[in-house]
Amino acid sequence: MVLRSHVFKRLKALKDPSASVDGGDEEQQQESFDFTKHSPNSWIHRLFHRIFEKLQDYRCEKSRSLFIEHSCSSLGCVDYDIALSCQCNRLCEGYGNCCSDYYGLCDTCEAFGGCLDYDNRHSCQCNVDCSSFGNCCSDYESFCGSGAPDNCVGRCGTSPDATKTCQCDADCSTYGDCCSDFTSTCSGTTTTTTTSSTTGATTTTTTQAPTGDTCVGRCNAALDSSKSCQCNTACNTYGDCCPDYSETCGGSGGGGGLDFNVYASDLWARDVNRIDSSSYTVNIQTELSSSSNNVDQAPSKLFSYFDEATIYNTGTFVQFKTLCDNYEPNQGVTEDRDSNQDDLNEQTAYLDAIMATSLMQHAVTKLAEVGLVADAADFRSKLITAFFDLYQRTASDDSSGFEHCFCGEWKSSTQVNGFHNWIQFYELEKQGALDYYGNFGMSQPDHLGVQFYWSGRKKPLTSIMLGVSTEFELAIYMACFLENPGSQTSFTITDGANSWPIKVQTYTQNTVHVGSAYFIS
């Protein structure tokens, strides 16, 4: 008891040097006193002394680390580390915590892990379309283009090719000749088709890309960067699903079984708010040969006639017209919509109007039949989450699926992001804010690819479906998003004797939101 009391007094002296210890001995009040002089257990005193020294060193080191300015040049393009003041991985763009030298050092195809599909989290891209859109990463040509070493882009599951330096079939791991991007590009199932030279019979074999990780016990788990593959719905978007994702987690993105040909044709027939072409006229002018075009080859406006009195008093266009001016076009600027009751009231009125249409009611019925939604209330809830809830694209709550797809955004001082609606195109052209540069051809039904500048910012290529109602677009987009998130969905719209092949692309944002959705021109 005497020893313990003595130690507690020493601890008190270290914490508060002004406090008296052992009857006011001033020498013993100093933090540098010699514990070794105090018997009978001087080793215990030495131990306490050493512990305090280490704690003091740790506090100083911890304080210094808080002021260290990390950089990607010193850290490398490493995975997320909570101890770092900034990050150097592909997720930092979405969270807004990239190191100052991330761009140009880690936003490369090599750092992203291969020649991947479009990823809206990245400031540059590594897919075959980036040249057309002018957003390729700096090393795209050397890493993925004509100057690149052999890779697995477009070759997953193909038979061995003797002209290539590496292979992308299921046996490449056995023979040790897989391309360096085999795991990142070919994760999941691969399909190989062979034809017998004697019988002509075709055999399709589905194999699994080798990986040590599975989805057992991980279905719908958050991103785990320590794993080679993932098991949530976002893995479809980023191409990193584990081989057993579909089997283990039912990873079709929904209940499955939706016949898109029937679904889309039914919606087309029920789109009573679709505007007849007699109420507007387009002057498409010059057809462009490349999205890299920077010359205005359309001296006139796209819309030479637009009957506002008819169009803006037809069905849900009345409510839609009020929405786009509720958004701030600049990505990186937090939206104030949710704090503006008038804006929220306009959004609610629009949702009420589209949900009351026979088109949307039919969409709900069909989606409920295959288990993608439970009922109308569930559909509306999912629609709000997917398209209308705000999320971070560059800064907190600076974007939404609806703003991106229907109103458009300014990605930077030179680039437009999203923008796939014909009414918004007319409105901005009428205001003089949008300058139409030319087209990439018209396909039926009234589907037009266009290039334009909006307030000095370029949209190299986008597609707009002329005349259709926004509920038609949303009903199509929601089905594609729920059934095939982050993928292309192909189907045919049939109207009497007419049939039109259609493709829709959706991208996810944080799994539950729409990053983008559009008809592919």
Side-chain angles (χ1 to χ4, degrees):
M1 291 296 292
V2 173
L3 174 61
R4 184 166 61 184
S5 175
H6 182 73
V7 170
F8 287 163
K9 289 179 180 180
R10 291 301 178 193
L11 292 175
K12 182 178 181 183
L14 284 175
K15 184 176 181 181
D16 184 5
S18 66
S20 176
V21 181
D22 289 342
D25 186 342
E26 293 183 1
E27 181 182 356
Q28 293 178 5
Q29 294 175 24
Q30 303 302 311
E31 288 191 12
S32 59
F33 60 85
D34 187 357
F35 277 104
T36 63
K37 295 179 180 179
H38 301 279
S39 58
N41 294 290
S42 60
W43 65 273
I44 294 179
H45 297 293
R46 288 197 299 272
L47 176 61
F48 271 96
H49 185 50
R50 182 54 59 91
I51 289 173
F52 275 108
E53 285 181 337
K54 292 298 183 182
L55 286 174
Q56 185 67 20
D57 290 344
Y58 172 79
R59 286 196 300 268
C60 292
E61 183 64 28
K62 191 67 175 176
S63 296
R64 285 194 297 271
S65 69
L66 294 176
F67 296 96
I68 294 175
E69 183 176 351
H70 296 107
S71 66
C72 297
S73 58
S74 61
L75 297 170
C77 302
V78 295
D79 288 339
Y80 175 77
D81 186 341
I82 194 172
L84 302 178
S85 60
C86 59
Q87 303 297 325
C88 300
N89 57 76
R90 67 177 186 171
L91 299 179
C92 72
E93 296 181 68
Y95 287 97
N97 60 352
C98 298
C99 292
S100 59
D101 61 346
Y102 169 80
Y103 296 100
L105 186 63
C106 293
D107 60 338
T108 64
C109 299
E110 182 176 9
F112 292 156
C115 307
L116 311 172
D117 288 339
Y118 174 81
D119 188 332
N120 61 18
R121 298 175 303 177
H122 295 162
S123 57
C124 60
Q125 302 299 325
C126 302
N127 58 66
V128 294
D129 295 324
C130 71
S131 297
S132 297
F133 286 94
N135 60 354
C136 296
C137 292
S138 58
D139 64 341
Y140 172 75
E141 187 61 29
S142 62
F143 197 81
C144 304
S146 59
D150 291 334
N151 57 61
C152 287
V153 176
R155 296 176 56 211
C156 295
T158 59
S159 299
D161 186 342
T163 65
K164 302 293 184 181
T165 59
C166 58
Q167 306 302 326
C168 304
D169 62 311
D171 295 326
C172 69
S173 296
T174 302
Y175 292 99
D177 58 358
C178 296
C179 293
S180 60
D181 67 334
F182 174 70
T183 300
S184 61
T185 303
C186 302
S187 61
T189 57
T190 57
T191 302
T192 304
T193 301
T194 57
T195 302
S196 171
S197 59
T198 56
T199 65
T202 298
T203 302
T204 301
T205 304
T206 301
T207 57
Q208 301 287 341
T211 175
D213 294 319
T214 77
C215 286
V216 176
R218 295 176 56 211
C219 292
N220 297 315
L223 173 70
D224 186 344
S225 59
S226 69
K227 302 293 186 181
S228 61
C229 56
Q230 305 302 322
C231 303
N232 53 58
T233 55
C235 73
N236 289 304
T237 302
Y238 301 112
D240 58 359
C241 297
C242 289
D244 63 342
Y245 172 62
S246 294
E247 178 183 356
T248 304
C249 304
S252 66
L258 181 66
D259 187 330
F260 274 90
N261 295 330
V262 174
Y263 177 79
S265 299
D266 286 349
L267 297 186
W268 181 263
R270 286 171 169 78
D271 190 12
V272 297
N273 290 326
R274 185 168 62 249
I275 301 299
D276 187 81
S277 59
S278 62
S279 294
Y280 65 90
T281 304
V282 291
N283 179 14
I284 64 174
Q285 302 165 80
T286 302
E287 184 168 338
L288 305 176
S289 59
S290 171
S291 61
S292 62
N293 170 69
N294 291 311
V295 178
D296 188 351
Q297 300 191 44
S300 300
K301 292 182 177 180
L302 173 62
F303 285 92
S304 58
Y305 170 66
F306 191 97
D307 185 353
E308 289 192 7
T310 297
I311 295 173
Y312 286 155
N313 286 288
T314 298
T316 55
F317 288 107
V318 176
Q319 291 81 18
F320 173 76
K321 185 178 180 293
T322 67
L323 298 181
C324 282
D325 63 359
N326 296 340
Y327 294 94
E328 160 60 53
N330 273 299
Q331 285 182 204
V333 177
T334 299
E335 299 284 352
D336 66 355
R337 185 205 63 189
D338 287 355
S339 62
N340 188 316
Q341 192 58 50
D342 288 340
D343 291 352
L344 292 175
N345 290 342
E346 289 174 349
Q347 177 178 296
T348 299
Y350 172 71
L351 289 168
D352 290 344
I354 64 173
M355 290 300 296
T357 63
S358 62
L359 183 154
M360 274 299 193
Q361 291 168 3
H362 184 76
V364 169
T365 299
K366 290 301 180 183
L367 296 178
E369 286 177 357
V370 295
L372 292 173
V373 300
D375 50 28
D378 183 47
F379 175 86
R380 180 169 178 147
S381 175
K382 284 183 168 66
L383 176 65
I384 290 172
T385 299
F387 276 95
F388 293 93
D389 280 357
L390 297 175
Y391 56 72
Q392 175 173 311
R393 198 177 290 271
T394 302
S396 176
D397 289 348
D398 68 334
S399 184
S400 73
F402 182 85
E403 178 190 14
H404 180 90
C405 298
F406 289 87
C407 305
E409 300 177 285
W410 294 343
K411 182 176 182 179
S412 66
S413 61
T414 60
Q415 290 180 284
V416 173
N417 215 5
F419 201 125
H420 308 292
N421 180 259
W422 70 290
I423 295 292
Q424 176 72 342
F425 193 105
Y426 165 74
E427 275 297 313
L428 292 177
E429 190 175 54
K430 179 183 72 172
Q431 296 167 16
L434 186 151
D435 187 1
Y436 172 58
Y437 264 43
N439 74 91
F440 295 93
M442 174 84 82
S443 60
Q444 294 302 318
D446 296 330
H447 186 203
L448 183 64
V450 297
Q451 181 181 106
F452 62 87
Y453 275 74
W454 174 17
S455 295
R457 298 163 174 84
K458 181 182 180 181
K459 182 65 178 182
L461 168 63
T462 195
S463 64
I464 54 177
M465 186 77 85
L466 298 169
V468 296
S469 70
T470 56
E471 60 264 28
F472 173 81
E473 293 177 295
L474 281 171
I476 293 289
Y477 293 160
M478 278 298 290
C480 295
F481 175 70
L482 294 172
E483 179 83 348
N484 300 314
S487 305
Q488 281 188 21
T489 302
S490 300
F491 51 90
T492 299
I493 292 178
T494 300
D495 183 6
N498 298 314
S499 293
W500 306 298
I502 304 291
K503 288 184 179 180
V504 170
Q505 175 72 58
T506 64
Y507 293 104
T508 63
Q509 187 82 7
N510 303 326
T511 306
V512 296
H513 306 302
V514 167
S516 186
Y518 54 89
F519 293 91
I520 299 176
S521 60

